[in-house]
Amino acid sequence: MELKLEVIVLPVSDVDIAKEFYVDTLGFRLDADFPIDEGYRIVQATPPGSACSVIFGEGLSALPVGSARGLHLVVTDIERAVKELAGRGVDIDGPFHDETGAFHHADGTHRVPGVAPGRPSYGTFARFADPDGNEWFLQEVTLRAPGR
């Protein structure tokens, strides 16, 4: 059985501000913008190269605005990606790695500035948030296990 992650719903306060951030600032592809009726609007956008999209709008989520945490976008060159996003006006923290050499701690502790020693795949991160505080990470992945 195949299971494909295709959509993540983001809780946002202002659909147009979120659309501007994801489409204009981050460069996500705008797939749909359906203003169905008063209080119900669906916007779908997809990161370049991704099969998974984000959906935000009105009447789509019962989660508190800005409560999405730990969303990851994979890049092959984190230094270049950080520079590009910063150049687009994104307030981004990184690159950094965890002092354990593994995944990063959720609370931001144990972070060491700079790329991971030896620059192993999965070891270096950067962090930013959308205008509502939904938290995103970049993760550098250059080599995946066979079959992945």
Side-chain angles (χ1 to χ4, degrees):
M1 171 175 63
E2 279 192 10
L3 300 171
K4 296 181 180 182
L5 180 62
E6 300 234 355
V7 172
I8 295 172
V9 178
L10 298 175
V12 301
S13 62
D14 186 303
V15 181
D16 291 319
I17 289 173
K19 182 178 170 182
E20 180 180 332
F21 179 76
Y22 285 101
V23 175
D24 298 337
T25 302
L26 294 183
F28 285 22
R29 180 187 70 229
L30 179 63
D31 299 321
D33 187 346
F34 299 119
I36 306 297
D37 57 35
E38 187 67 32
Y40 190 56
R41 178 177 173 193
I42 306 161
V43 176
Q44 179 172 319
T46 303
S50 181
C52 185
S53 302
V54 295
I55 288 181
F56 50 87
E58 295 177 65
L60 302 180
S61 178
L63 292 172
V65 168
S67 62
R69 296 283 178 267
L71 303 166
H72 283 67
L73 295 167
V74 170
V75 298
T76 56
D77 185 333
I78 199 155
E79 291 173 314
R80 189 178 87 210
V82 166
K83 184 177 179 179
E84 183 174 330
L85 289 179
R88 293 178 180 201
V90 176
D91 183 15
I92 190 161
D93 174 32
F96 61 83
H97 60 281
D98 196 90
E99 67 184 12
T100 65
F103 199 72
H104 59 85
H105 285 72
D107 63 4
T109 60
H110 306 280
R111 286 187 185 164
V112 178
V115 298
R119 210 158 176 176
S121 222
Y122 300 96
T124 303
F125 305 89
R127 183 205 166 280
F128 68 93
D130 73 8
D132 286 302
N134 292 305
E135 180 185 59
W136 289 88
F137 288 90
L138 300 181
Q139 182 178 28
E140 185 174 77
V141 177
T142 55
L143 181 64
R144 293 185 185 269
R148 303 260 190 268

